Every structure is written in structure tokens, then in C-alpha cells.
Amino acid sequence: MLRSFPIKQTQQTAKRSTSGQAATFKRCQTKKLKVLDDIKYIASAMLEERCEPSEGVMRIAKLFEALSMSEQMAVEFPSIFEHYDCIKAHPIKEERKALAKQQRMKLDLARMKSEAKLEQGILDDAKKSHNFISCIRVY
């Protein structure tokens, strides 16, 4: 036998569910916009030479990954993602300190070669990403 629910109770439950979904959606959108603002800030810092290119590339690429936008953005900003592919496996902090001096020098050389080769492209991509995010924020 089917159980019947009072219409008013069902409507109230639907309203609460919709309200909760709307609040969750708004929190997600707010978080995404903050991450995009962070990317814009890092791009600005790279352009103003307040941030090393490799550090900026690493941060921007990881933030795009957090937004699940890496594949799309790799097409838009190829130099950033080409350099990221070169340096993403490089250890940092304590892991880097634990490496032998020659191994650190080898990684530094690979990073510097990639940076030198892609420097102008990285800066162009940083400028494009800054402008791209400014356009997104308008909508």
C-alpha cells in the first residue's frame, strides 16, 4: 500500500532541499571565484617580478588543477603548462634538502633551461591569464 504524504509537508521539504542546494552552489561559486582571484594575483606578481616564474607557474597550474580546468587551460596557456610539466615532479622543502648536491644542481639546470626557453611565453601566458580571469569576473 502506498503511503501518502501531506502536500504541505512535501512542499516544505522540497523548499529546504532547494534552499540547501542553492547555498551549497553559492559556497562553491564563491570558492571558485576566490581561487580565480588567487590565480590573477599570482599572474600579476609574475608580471611585476615579485614572484619567480617557476614558483608562479607551479602555483597557477596547481590552482587550475584544483578547479579541474587544467586540460582546458593548457590549450589557452601552453607555455605555463609546458614549464609545469618540466618542474612538477621536482621536490621542494625538506625533500629537496635531502637530495645530493649534484642531484639538486641537475634539477636546477633543467628548471633554468625550461625557464629560459619559455620565459617570454610564460610572461605572455601570465598576462593572458590575468586578462582572462578579469573577463570571467565580469560575468
Side-chain angles (χ1 to χ4, degrees), residues 7-136:
I7 292 175
K8 189 172 186 174
Q9 183 181 4
T10 305
Q11 289 173 341
Q12 289 173 344
T13 303
K15 272 186 183 178
R16 274 183 279 167
S17 175
T18 304
S19 174
Q21 289 172 346
T24 300
F25 178 77
K26 185 171 181 161
R27 279 193 305 272
C28 287
Q29 287 301 102
T30 301
K31 185 176 179 180
K32 285 180 181 179
L33 290 174
K34 182 180 179 341
V35 172
L36 288 170
D37 283 342
D38 290 346
I39 292 169
K40 183 178 173 181
Y41 179 81
I42 294 164
S44 292
M46 289 170 67
L47 293 169
E48 296 167 5
E49 297 180 4
R50 292 181 289 127
C51 175
E52 294 291 323
S54 290
E55 182 180 349
V57 163
M58 183 71 80
R59 290 173 184 267
I60 287 173
K62 286 185 182 250
L63 289 172
F64 277 130
E65 280 181 0
L67 294 173
S68 300
M69 295 176 70
S70 291
E71 288 181 24
Q72 300 144 312
M73 296 300 105
V75 174
E76 294 295 321
F77 314 119
S79 295
I80 284 178
F81 283 90
E82 183 178 340
H83 187 58
Y84 178 65
D85 284 339
C86 175
I87 64 171
K88 68 182 171 186
H90 290 198
I92 58 171
K93 297 184 180 183
E94 298 305 318
E95 290 177 4
R96 179 177 166 76
K97 288 179 185 176
L99 294 174
K101 184 177 180 179
Q102 207 150 36
Q103 183 63 28
R104 281 195 313 265
M105 289 173 61
K106 185 178 177 182
L107 292 172
D108 287 345
L109 182 61
R111 176 185 50 79
M112 288 187 294
K113 281 182 177 180
S114 177
E115 237 177 59
K117 174 182 153 196
L118 299 168
E119 182 177 18
Q120 191 55 52
I122 290 169
L123 293 175
D124 292 344
D125 284 355
K127 186 172 185 171
K128 284 193 312 189
S129 67
H130 183 275
N131 294 338
F132 174 77
I133 291 166
S134 295
C135 290
I136 289 175

